[in-house]
Every structure is written in structure tokens, then in C-alpha cells.
Amino acid sequence: MGQVLDRLRDKQWRRKQIRRITDEVFDLYFKSETGSVNLNFDDLYIGVLLVFNELNKRLPGPHIDPPSKDIVLVMMKENDLNLDGEIDREEFANFIKQLTADTFIIVSQGLIITLVAAPAFAMATKRATEGVPGVGKVVQRLPNSVYASLLTFTVVLFQQARHEFV
């Protein structure tokens, strides 16, 4: 029961973060003096890029690439509820919510690898390297927590480097 409530709170927190970013982008870049703005396709795509830029700044884990213009165009047609060829504030919020649904799954997978798999891998490699001449004595002297932290840090560096070169 506790895990279900934690997951529900996490989902709610994520939704609030996405909505906060969406509102900030909309208000900062698109809101007019009257407060009402409709985004054409070009403005919408710029908005998507700005939202993904904010997500990448604020969320831990791998860099999340924004969708292509083709995907945004298809989704724009699906989310243009009043069929006027433009997206208003609420349509923009729903559009971004739909577009970012998979984002947290990607981030969660990266965090699981970093925070769970890397320390487990560290402990396995520590045991394996303790018998290696020259290296084994150094590894044995390192506390488990220090060794796991060093290896986890190395995994994070490799993840970041991989996303920069991909």
C-alpha cells in the first residue's frame, strides 16, 4: 500500500513539474498583453524545444532529445481541440503532458542503472579485483562505500559522455 501511495505522489509531483515548466515557458515567451495567445506550428515547435531544454536542465539522468517537427505536427493536429489550426494555453499544456509521458520512464531507467546497478556492479568488481596482484591490495583497503561511489561516479561520466557523442 505504501509503495502505491509513493508512486501516486511521484506521478503527481512529475505532473506538477511538467505543468510548472509548461506554464513558465508559455508565460515567458508567448503570453501577450491580453493574456491570450494561440501558437501556430512554428511557435509550438519553439515552445516544445524550450520545454525540453528546461527538462534537460532540471532532471537528472540522460539528455532527452525533443521530438522531430513531423511528430509535433501530427500531435498538433490531435491536440487542436477547437480545430482552428493553432494551440491555446490549455491545448499547449495537454500537448506537452502527452509529449513528455515517456520522458520520466527514460529518466527513471537511467537513474535505476546509476543508483542501483552501478553500486551492485562495483561490489562484484571489487570482489573480483581483490585477487589481482598489485591492484588487489589497494582495492581491499578501500571501504566499500568509497569504491561504490567511485564506480558510480564513473558510470555517470560515461553516461554523460555517451549522450554528448551520440
Side-chain angles (χ1 to χ4, degrees):
M1 180 72 168
Q3 289 178 342
V4 173
L5 290 175
D6 287 342
R7 286 184 187 169
L8 182 60
R9 277 189 228 119
D10 286 346
K11 278 187 176 183
Q12 290 171 344
W13 179 83
R14 289 181 212 138
R15 286 185 190 136
K16 285 180 185 177
Q17 294 304 310
I18 294 286
R19 184 60 193 239
R20 182 177 296 139
I21 291 170
T22 302
D23 288 343
E24 286 174 9
V25 165
F26 195 90
D27 290 342
L28 187 60
Y29 296 101
F30 301 114
K31 191 174 180 183
S32 68
E33 298 295 320
T34 63
S36 66
V37 172
N38 288 337
L39 306 177
N40 62 27
F41 174 74
D42 291 332
D43 291 335
L44 175 63
Y45 192 68
I46 290 169
V48 167
L49 295 177
L50 291 168
V51 167
F52 272 77
N53 185 45
E54 287 301 312
L55 287 172
N56 285 321
K57 285 186 207 174
R58 297 182 191 189
L59 296 178
H63 175 82
I64 304 161
D65 292 327
S68 68
K69 284 186 172 184
D70 294 335
I71 291 172
V72 172
L73 184 60
V74 169
M75 288 183 66
M76 179 182 181
K77 291 175 183 175
E78 293 171 3
N79 285 278
D80 183 14
L81 301 178
N82 58 7
L83 303 174
D84 64 354
E86 297 182 326
I87 299 290
D88 64 25
R89 181 186 195 92
E90 282 308 309
E91 290 170 335
F92 181 66
N94 289 331
F95 180 90
I96 295 297
K97 181 180 173 184
Q98 180 183 354
L99 193 59
T100 58
D102 294 337
T103 300
F104 286 104
I105 294 169
I106 294 166
V107 170
S108 296
Q109 288 172 346
L111 286 175
I112 287 170
I113 290 169
T114 303
L115 300 176
V116 177
F121 178 72
M123 294 296 78
T125 59
K126 184 176 183 192
R127 282 186 225 109
T129 56
E130 285 177 347
V132 176
V135 177
K137 290 186 180 192
V138 175
V139 171
Q140 285 176 342
R141 289 186 184 138
L142 282 174
N144 288 344
S145 59
V146 172
Y147 187 78
S149 297
L150 287 171
L151 198 67
T152 302
F153 180 69
T154 304
V155 168
V156 169
L157 289 177
F158 278 118
Q159 284 179 337
Q160 289 176 346
R162 185 185 79 203
H163 289 287
E164 288 178 13
F165 293 111
V166 172

